[in-house]
Amino acid sequence: MSKSNILTTARRQAARAFQSPPCNLPPHRRSSSLTHLPTELTSRRLPLTYDYLTPTPSHLLNITLTDFLPPNLQQPPTMLPSTSTAHPLPPTHHLIYFPPATPPSTLLPDGTDPLQSPGPPFVRRMWAGGRILFSRTPPTLAGNRYVCMEGIRDVQIKGNPDGSEKIFVAIERRIGPAVLRSTSTPLPASSKDDSEELMRRAFWRPDPDEFGSSTQIIERRTIVFMRAVTPSSSATATSTSARTGSGKILKASHAPTFTHTLTPTPQLLFRYSALTFNAHSIHLDKSYCQSVEGRRNLLVHGPLSLTLMIEVLGRFLAVKFPDVEKRPRIAEVEYRNLAPLYAGEKMNVCAREVIDGGLHAGGEYEVWIEGKEGGLAVRGKVKTEPT
């Protein structure tokens, strides 16, 4: 089936699911109907996504985050960097490149891309977490053409077989120059089928941690897909959330080495949605959040939360290691989203130094974000290496 047919079929099915009541099949039939999903999803051949890595998106992200981060040792960004100098792509900034080439007519009713969706009745999604590996040779913002190869590495069905199942889809993305290493020849903008197949072979590896000769960033993101909630359940959840907060609160087990407090705004969420080409209504439409998702306000993006943690950690590393040439590099990030973060609500971005590797050994940091009630919303681990 072609990409356009997949998009059209998925969108029509999801649209019907949004308009339909929750599934009323007996529990055993609901459960058995999901057994095909792991095979079906992991066999999907997702399209390659190309992008020219210019400084503009990264520069705009830096400007967007300026008012929400601790002061940098350098001056706030004002002038767009030149492509004549090959500036390295900052950690997590790859998240705003390689936007999905999805026409508006093929988006799902909530504004999301259908390519990784299991389809109805799982019409709601959240960013559950992920892991990123950065090679010693990062992409550079010199205007060259790069490719992002994406595949569904794993699918897990969790929850009771009574209609409350959740589908966890682990998506692997591999990023590197759009060059066939065997010939060192850039691929043409309109690649032929054989060139695309060579590109896939050059990037994909059976071992999810193996870079190979082409890949510079390996990202694994897990998206959880859920069923629609009834209007009455959504209204009850919204009311409860507004009155009592997020419910059960999990606290950090250690005091942070450093912390930074900020309050995300709707404007921040809008700008990040624009930079990532993300039309998901949970970040843009408050009434949708309340009436459909049962949330009390706009939700902060999962990747934005990750970027805030890494940016705050980067400020700490800049103070600890003033010499940028000797500053340890971020080699690996692993994180989980535990509770929602909302626009207009204070959050504390925290980190704790677990292993001080200095300039000559690997370091390790715990990073996390606390919501307005002090509970853990995001928790992760960062490993650094000497440059």
Side-chain angles (χ1 to χ4, degrees):
M1 182 181 293
S2 69
K3 175 186 174 183
S4 60
N5 288 338
I6 291 174
L7 291 169
T8 302
T9 300
R11 185 175 186 273
R12 287 173 178 170
Q13 291 176 337
R16 289 195 295 269
F18 266 89
Q19 298 166 1
S20 302
C23 178
N24 292 318
L25 290 175
H28 68 280
R29 290 188 61 189
R30 287 198 293 263
S31 179
S32 63
S33 67
L34 306 180
T35 56
H36 69 286
L37 286 178
T39 300
E40 192 275 321
L41 287 169
T42 55
S43 64
R44 284 188 186 176
R45 186 181 175 91
L46 303 180
L48 300 178
T49 305
Y50 296 89
D51 205 344
Y52 291 92
L53 296 196
T54 68
T56 302
S58 179
H59 176 67
L60 292 175
L61 178 60
N62 286 330
I63 292 174
T64 297
L65 297 179
T66 296
D67 292 342
F68 300 91
L69 293 173
N72 202 338
L73 294 179
Q74 302 173 345
Q75 293 296 320
T78 54
M79 183 176 295
L80 179 68
S82 170
T83 56
S84 60
T85 301
H87 296 283
L89 179 69
T92 73
H93 281 219
H94 71 280
L95 294 164
I96 63 172
Y97 291 84
F98 308 100
T102 308
S105 60
T106 58
L107 294 176
L108 299 178
D110 62 353
T112 56
D113 181 349
L115 287 175
Q116 307 88 4
S117 170
F122 299 97
V123 295
R124 298 164 54 236
R125 70 177 69 188
M126 291 289 174
W127 192 294
R131 180 170 179 249
I132 309 174
L133 302 177
F134 301 96
S135 75
R136 299 193 68 87
T137 307
T140 57
L141 299 176
N144 295 318
R145 192 166 182 254
Y146 281 71
V147 64
C148 174
M149 181 182 178
E150 186 172 295
I152 297 176
R153 179 71 80 168
D154 183 51
V155 176
Q156 295 186 33
I157 303 172
K158 299 183 180 181
N160 296 322
D162 58 359
S164 61
E165 302 97 330
K166 296 180 180 179
I167 313 299
F168 289 78
V169 179
I171 303 159
E172 187 171 308
R173 305 171 83 233
R174 291 174 166 263
I175 295 170
V179 172
L180 291 176
R181 293 295 186 181
S182 59
T183 61
S184 297
T185 302
L187 288 179
S190 56
S191 305
K192 296 181 180 179
D193 291 343
D194 56 347
S195 296
E196 179 174 311
E197 185 57 36
L198 288 173
M199 181 68 75
R200 292 180 182 275
R201 293 178 184 177
F203 277 84
W204 197 254
R205 291 289 185 274
D207 181 355
D209 292 348
E210 180 186 349
F211 278 97
S213 61
S214 301
T215 302
Q216 294 178 329
I217 296 175
I218 301 174
E219 181 200 349
R220 182 163 175 152
R221 58 179 64 170
T222 299
I223 309 298
V224 55
F225 292 87
M226 301 159 288
R227 298 175 188 266
V229 294
T230 63
S232 59
S233 298
S234 178
T236 300
T238 301
S239 176
T240 302
S241 175
R243 185 175 63 256
T244 64
S246 302
K248 184 179 179 181
I249 294 178
L250 178 65
K251 294 281 190 175
S253 55
H254 297 90
T257 305
F258 58 95
T259 185
H260 174 68
T261 300
L262 64 98
T263 302
T265 62
Q267 292 82 3
L268 170 64
L269 272 56
F270 172 81
R271 281 193 168 190
Y272 193 79
S273 290
L275 285 168
T276 54
F277 213 53
N278 184 352
H280 198 179
S281 298
I282 63 173
H283 310 304
L284 301 168
D285 187 342
K286 182 177 179 179
S287 64
Y288 173 90
C289 291
Q290 295 176 338
S291 62
V292 177
E293 297 281 348
R295 306 294 186 177
R296 60 179 178 264
N297 204 343
L298 299 174
L299 289 163
V300 177
H301 311 67
L304 175 56
S305 302
L306 170 64
T307 297
L308 290 169
M309 289 194 300
I310 298 305
E311 290 287 340
V312 169
L313 177 62
R315 301 299 200 271
F316 172 80
L317 293 175
V319 173
K320 185 176 176 66
F321 304 99
D323 188 344
V324 66
E325 298 296 329
K326 298 180 179 180
R327 187 176 304 156
R329 72 177 191 91
I330 292 176
E332 179 181 342
V333 180
E334 191 167 5
Y335 65 99
R336 287 182 61 195
N337 294 317
L338 304 173
L341 291 164
Y342 293 98
E345 296 184 6
K346 183 182 71 173
M347 65 169 68
N348 297 315
V349 183
C350 308
R352 184 177 78 93
E353 190 173 52
V354 179
I355 299 175
D356 181 3
L359 295 174
H360 306 292
E364 187 173 308
Y365 299 84
E366 291 178 349
V367 291
W368 67 91
I369 297 180
E370 300 169 347
K372 72 169 186 175
E373 296 145 353
L376 284 173
V378 190
R379 178 170 59 191
K381 181 186 298 184
V382 178
K383 295 181 179 180
T384 63
E385 292 182 354
T387 53

